[in-house]
């Protein structure tokens, strides 16, 4: 319409149906109302045009992708001003495009983390990495804080300027979960620590309690033993035996509580010493004979002849298991029998599998209680304590002790049908000669007679009992109430043959005294045998005592036979 040059792009169709894109440039040569003349050129631009169209097409596709992808993309100039953002990002943050583009990124997206974000971007300039990634908080227009994982690259724009290309991925729920897990972990750690503390306190409490209760019990049991040894009248024998039985039961209960807390805290290690299982069960049977006779029930002992007499194991724990089961069997049986049976059910080179079975014709245990009776402080009936006594700890300990032997205890019982408990334990056959069992009432053995023994013990009851036994065996006994007095006695008279040393004493305790003796300037005193007498029957203490210079260890209230054996061994 005007007298002007023009440039148009159009396509020309040919007769054969093909077409070409052409750039037509026209320059007017003359311009009159109805007569327009141009001088023009047609340039075939088909190839360029097609390329351009492809580019446009891919740009559009990219833009579509850029805008619709559920990921936030934005670009920043090198000073942190937002150059572009995809539609998803705009919608996500809840702004209009104008409220974002052209603004500084720290004003729009970041809150407290703005400084950190700018520092990270700055780092990217000097980093040898193509991109850097970080987790950061961003804020929406509504004020809602979100967590994103940001990946930033540094690129050059067409004009050579630095441009940050940033991709954000919302990780809010992941972070919340992570925080929740961390919090839960912290809570668990706290709870674990508390539980461990409580377990330790419980154990310390049990240990202190056992010490406090064991000391007077030591006196009761010890005095009963002495009275029994002093030729009591016939009618007194039975009364003294009852007294002994009751005191020993009480001791068993104290031991149970201590043992339970020890097992619970995983502190029980099994011993491996040579012992005679058939004799052990025979003694066990004898110790219950009195009670069984009293109730009019029969105890049958069935011992497989093929069981070797020397086995390697923990006799204390095995007899603890059997004691628990046999005492229950007798307790819960009014008429009939209690069978104690041990059979070798498998003998392989050097080892033997033994089936222990304790069966009774007593009240039985209903099927639905077969599991729960093994729980601590649990009894089959609510009136069991009233009727039969007990604490409900015995089977819990028994079960754990059997498990410590890598085995499992089974029960076969029903109400009114009697009860059978059975389990198998593998033993290694030992070839070590066993010492003959010594009867402490047998004074014909003169090994202790005339030996000078220093008893270091503060408790007058314990002093009295130990002195009585030692005197029975014709030893020459001297006493000291604490370590300091003991050292004074040793300094003025160095010909003691053996020392019995209490651990917990006022003024100077047994450990300090033993250390002083082991480091004494008089060499002949250094090697004097020392047996620790302690009320704290803790397995780990035992090793510590040996490390502290003791030769042996005996827990109070001691069994006179054990004391006798240990003294003879050391002498
Ligand atoms: P306690 O004997 O001190 O009550 P235990 O843990 O030894 O505790 O036993 C738990 C419960 O299992 C007993 O109270 C009793 O109800 C039941 N029980 C155990 N042994 C027998 C048995 N031989 N016959 C019948 N009931 C038994």
């Amino acid at each position: 319409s005007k007298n002007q040059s023009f440039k148009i792009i159009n396509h020309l169709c040919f007769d054969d149906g093909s077409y070409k894109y052409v750039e037509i440039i026209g320059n007017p040569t003359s311009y009159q109302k109805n007569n327009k003349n141009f001088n023009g050129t047609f340039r075939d631009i088909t190839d360029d045009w097609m390329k351009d169209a492809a580019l446009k097409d891919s740009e559009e596709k990219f833009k579509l992708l850029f805008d619709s992808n559920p990921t936030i993309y934005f670009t920043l100039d090198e000073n942190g001003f937002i150059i572009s953002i995809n539609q998803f990002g705009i919608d996500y943050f809840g702004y209009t495009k104008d409220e974002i583009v052209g603004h500084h990124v720290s004003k729009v997206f970041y809150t407290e983390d703005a400084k950190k974000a700018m520092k990270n971007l700055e780092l990217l300039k000097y980093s040898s990495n193509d991109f850097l990634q970080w987790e950061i908080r961003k804020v929406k227009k509504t004020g809602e804080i979100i967590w994103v994982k940001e990946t930033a690259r540094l690129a050059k724009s067409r004009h050579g300027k630095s441009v940050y290309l940033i991709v954000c991925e919302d990780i809010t729920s992941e972070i919340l979960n992570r925080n929740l897990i961390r919090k839960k972990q912290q809570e668990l750690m706290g709870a674990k620590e508390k539980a461990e503390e409580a377990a330790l306190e419980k154990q310390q409490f049990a240990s202190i309690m056992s010490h406090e209760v064991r000391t007077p019990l030591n006196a009761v049991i010890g005095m009963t033993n002495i009275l029994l040894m002093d030729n009591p009248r016939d009618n007194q024998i039975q009364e003294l035996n009852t007294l002994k039985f009751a005191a020993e039961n009480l001791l068993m209960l104290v031991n149970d509580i201590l043992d339970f807390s020890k097992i619970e805290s995983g502190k029980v290690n099994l011993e491996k010493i040579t012992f005679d299982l058939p004799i052990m069960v025979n003694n066990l049977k004898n110790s219950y004979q009195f009670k069984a006779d009293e109730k009019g029930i029969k105890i049958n002992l069935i011992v497989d002849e093929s069981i070797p007499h020397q086995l390697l194991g923990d006799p204390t724990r095995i007899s603890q298991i059997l004691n628990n089961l046999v005492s229950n069997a007798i307790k819960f049986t009014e008429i009939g029998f209690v069978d104690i049976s041990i059979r070798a059910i498998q003998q392989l080179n050097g080892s033997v599998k033994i089936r222990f079975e304790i069966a009774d014709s007593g009240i039985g245990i209903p099927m639905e209680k077969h599991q729960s009776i093994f729980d601590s402080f649990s009894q089959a009936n609510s009136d069991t304590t009233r009727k039969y006594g007990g604490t409900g700890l015995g089977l819990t300990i028994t079960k754990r002790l059997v498990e410590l032997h890598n085995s499992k205890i089974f029960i076969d019982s029903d109400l009114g049908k009697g009860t059978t408990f059975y389990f198998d334990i593998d033993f290694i056959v030992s070839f070590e000669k066993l010492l003959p069992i010594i009867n402490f009432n047998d004074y014909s053995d003169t090994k202790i007679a005339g030996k000078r023994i220093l008893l270091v013990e503060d408790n007058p009851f314990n002093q009295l009992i130990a002195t009585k036994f030692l005197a029975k065996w014709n030893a020459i006994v001297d006493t000291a109430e604490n370590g300091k007095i003991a050292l004074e006695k040793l300094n003025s008279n160095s010909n003691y043959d053996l020392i019995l040393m209490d651990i917990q004493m006022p003024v100077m305790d047994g450990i300090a005294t033993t250390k002083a003796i082991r480091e004494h300037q008089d060499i002949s005193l250094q090697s004097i045998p020392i047996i620790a007498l302690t009320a704290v029957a803790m397995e780990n203490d035992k090793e510590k005592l040996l490390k502290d210079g003791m030769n042996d260890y005996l827990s109070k209230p001691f069994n006179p036979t054990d004391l006798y054996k240990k003294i003879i061994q050391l002498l």
Side-chain angles (χ1 to χ4, degrees):
S1 64
K2 281 186 189 159
N3 186 13
Q4 273 176 351
S5 301
F6 65 87
K7 180 162 109 181
I8 55 168
I9 291 167
N10 213 332
H11 64 265
L12 297 180
C13 291
F14 295 91
D15 285 348
D16 62 358
S18 66
Y19 63 90
K20 291 234 181 254
Y21 282 91
V22 288
E23 181 189 69
I24 307 163
I25 297 173
N27 294 308
T29 49
S30 65
Y31 189 85
Q32 280 152 13
K33 201 170 181 196
N34 289 317
N35 189 8
K36 295 167 191 161
N37 286 314
F38 291 87
N39 183 356
T41 56
F42 283 63
R43 191 162 66 91
D44 181 350
I45 55 157
T46 309
D47 283 355
D48 286 353
W49 175 261
M50 293 303 273
K51 257 190 232 152
D52 217 29
L55 189 68
K56 256 205 186 127
D57 188 39
S58 76
E59 259 176 16
E60 259 157 30
K61 277 189 187 143
F62 177 72
K63 192 162 177 332
L64 197 67
L65 193 74
F66 183 71
D67 280 339
S68 63
N69 198 313
T71 311
I72 306 154
Y73 298 105
F74 61 95
T75 55
L76 304 178
D77 72 10
E78 58 186 334
N79 296 316
F81 286 92
I82 302 166
I83 303 169
S84 66
I85 179 163
N86 68 340
Q87 192 57 44
F88 181 79
I90 295 170
D91 297 343
Y92 193 84
F93 286 105
Y95 290 102
T96 62
K97 191 171 180 180
D98 291 345
E99 284 172 318
I100 297 179
V101 174
H103 294 271
H104 197 270
V105 69
S106 63
K107 295 265 161 50
V108 187
F109 294 155
Y110 302 111
T111 50
E112 300 104 276
D113 291 345
K115 267 201 191 120
K116 182 179 164 194
M118 297 321 292
K119 214 162 105 195
N120 287 343
L121 291 173
E122 193 65 21
L123 268 178
L124 192 57
K125 281 189 193 163
Y126 307 104
S127 166
S128 57
N129 293 343
D130 285 350
F131 64 90
L132 286 181
Q133 222 170 32
W134 53 79
E135 287 173 0
I136 205 161
R137 277 170 299 180
K138 283 189 181 308
V139 63
K140 290 186 181 182
K141 191 176 179 180
T142 55
E144 185 192 343
I145 307 270
I146 54 159
W147 274 94
V148 294
K149 185 194 272 173
E150 236 169 33
T151 309
R153 281 172 199 280
L154 193 57
K156 287 276 177 224
S157 75
R158 256 177 285 170
H159 313 292
K161 287 198 170 161
S162 296
V163 177
Y164 294 107
L165 311 175
I166 298 171
V167 181
C168 300
E169 184 192 343
D170 187 336
I171 53 163
T172 312
S173 53
E174 190 186 314
I175 293 274
L176 287 179
N177 277 344
R178 226 189 281 164
N179 286 347
L180 204 69
I181 291 170
R182 202 172 297 149
K183 201 168 149 237
K184 279 263 173 293
Q185 275 171 341
Q186 275 165 355
E187 277 170 12
L188 276 177
M189 287 296 281
K192 187 170 164 257
E193 267 166 32
K194 266 198 200 131
E196 277 168 0
E197 257 170 46
L200 192 71
E201 267 172 31
K202 213 166 81 181
Q203 209 205 332
Q204 280 167 347
F205 175 76
S207 153
I208 291 166
M209 269 305 288
S210 81
H211 174 75
E212 296 303 324
V213 179
R214 274 160 167 258
T215 307
L217 261 183
N218 182 17
V220 175
I221 296 173
M223 289 309 281
T224 315
N225 277 330
I226 286 165
L227 289 172
L228 277 168
M229 281 159 60
D230 265 349
N231 299 327
R233 289 194 310 270
D234 281 352
N235 66 327
Q236 287 175 328
I237 291 181
Q238 203 183 355
E239 287 155 9
L240 285 171
N241 273 329
T242 312
L243 174 62
K244 190 175 162 193
F245 185 80
E248 280 172 353
N249 263 347
L250 183 55
L251 178 63
M252 211 145 75
L253 177 66
V254 174
N255 285 343
D256 268 3
I257 292 173
L258 180 64
D259 235 40
F260 177 66
S261 77
K262 260 203 317 186
I263 293 175
E264 286 294 282
S265 55
K267 290 221 166 103
V268 170
N269 295 318
L270 293 180
E271 262 193 318
K272 268 205 161 51
I273 55 171
T274 303
F275 74 109
D276 190 326
L277 180 65
I279 289 198
M280 190 185 95
V281 286
N282 193 45
N283 287 344
L284 183 103
K285 179 203 167 217
N286 289 342
S287 71
Y288 284 101
Q289 197 60 58
F290 175 75
K291 183 88 203 164
D293 289 348
E294 220 179 33
K295 292 186 84 173
I297 48 182
K298 204 165 165 359
I299 309 185
N300 303 309
L301 184 63
I302 305 125
V303 178
D304 188 340
E305 291 280 301
S306 69
I307 294 178
H309 276 258
Q310 279 129 271
L311 296 177
L312 213 53
D314 193 329
T316 318
R317 295 309 184 178
I318 297 285
S319 65
Q320 195 180 354
I321 296 170
L322 296 176
N323 264 311
N324 280 339
L325 296 176
V326 174
S327 70
N328 273 348
I330 293 176
K331 186 160 79 171
F332 296 108
T333 303
E334 298 308 331
I335 305 164
F337 62 87
V338 169
D339 286 348
I340 308 169
S341 128
I342 51 167
R343 281 178 293 127
I345 54 169
Q346 196 180 62
Q347 301 232 29
L348 282 172
N349 39 10
S351 77
V352 52
K353 188 188 277 301
I354 292 181
R355 161 75 46 97
F356 295 80
E357 213 170 275
I358 314 297
D360 66 58
S361 58
I363 60 169
I365 302 164
M367 295 292 243
E368 69 273 13
K369 299 281 170 152
H370 285 193
Q371 292 296 322
S372 66
I373 48 162
F374 290 104
D375 295 343
S376 45
F377 305 107
S378 156
Q379 299 182 317
N381 287 307
S382 49
D383 61 354
T384 306
T385 306
R386 188 169 42 79
K387 269 205 209 146
Y388 301 95
T391 55
L393 271 181
L395 282 183
T396 315
I397 294 172
T398 303
K399 178 172 178 257
R400 305 274 165 93
L401 288 177
V402 172
E403 284 166 357
L404 271 180
H405 284 89
N406 299 321
S407 184
K408 198 168 173 320
I409 186 162
F410 296 94
I411 174 177
D412 184 3
S413 177
D414 209 348
L415 213 55
K417 299 239 164 72
T419 304
T420 303
F421 285 100
Y422 61 97
F423 56 92
D424 300 337
I425 290 182
D426 291 316
F427 292 97
I428 292 175
V429 180
S430 162
F431 295 100
E432 193 191 336
K433 268 255 152 291
L434 278 171
L435 287 174
I437 291 177
I438 301 154
N439 179 358
F440 68 88
N441 265 335
D442 177 6
Y443 315 127
S444 59
D445 191 321
T446 53
K447 280 189 194 113
I448 297 186
K451 298 289 180 193
R452 297 184 65 91
I453 294 176
L454 177 61
L455 172 67
V456 192
E457 165 71 68
D458 62 315
N459 184 301
F461 283 125
N462 293 345
Q463 248 189 36
L464 181 71
I465 286 152
T467 316
K468 284 251 181 191
F469 282 120
L470 294 168
K472 284 267 174 218
W473 301 323
N474 297 321
I476 303 161
V477 192
D478 205 353
T479 53
E481 284 137 51
N482 59 52
K484 191 163 167 272
I485 299 173
L487 285 177
E488 282 161 13
K489 290 206 167 181
L490 284 164
N491 284 336
S492 60
N493 175 4
S494 59
N495 61 357
Y496 289 106
D497 295 298
L498 186 134
I499 300 174
L500 295 175
M501 181 79 75
D502 183 26
I503 299 301
Q504 284 144 321
M505 284 181 294
V507 187
M508 187 174 191
D509 69 19
I511 309 267
T513 316
T514 304
K515 280 191 180 147
I517 295 171
R518 296 302 180 222
E519 287 158 13
H520 203 281
Q521 60 213 39
D522 181 346
I523 297 178
S524 65
L525 280 181
Q526 286 181 9
S527 57
I528 189 162
I530 303 178
I531 300 176
L533 293 180
T534 169
V536 190
M538 305 293 279
E539 264 309 305
N540 5 351
D541 288 349
K542 181 174 175 179
E543 268 164 36
K544 191 176 175 304
L545 290 174
L546 298 182
K547 259 192 218 134
D548 288 334
M550 311 284 181
N551 296 79
D552 210 337
Y553 158 102
L554 198 59
S555 97
K556 287 184 289 188
F558 54 80
N559 173 333
T561 314
D562 288 341
L563 177 67
Y564 191 91
K565 257 204 265 186
K566 286 185 190 259
I567 293 178
I568 286 185
Q569 268 164 12
L570 283 172
L571 286 177

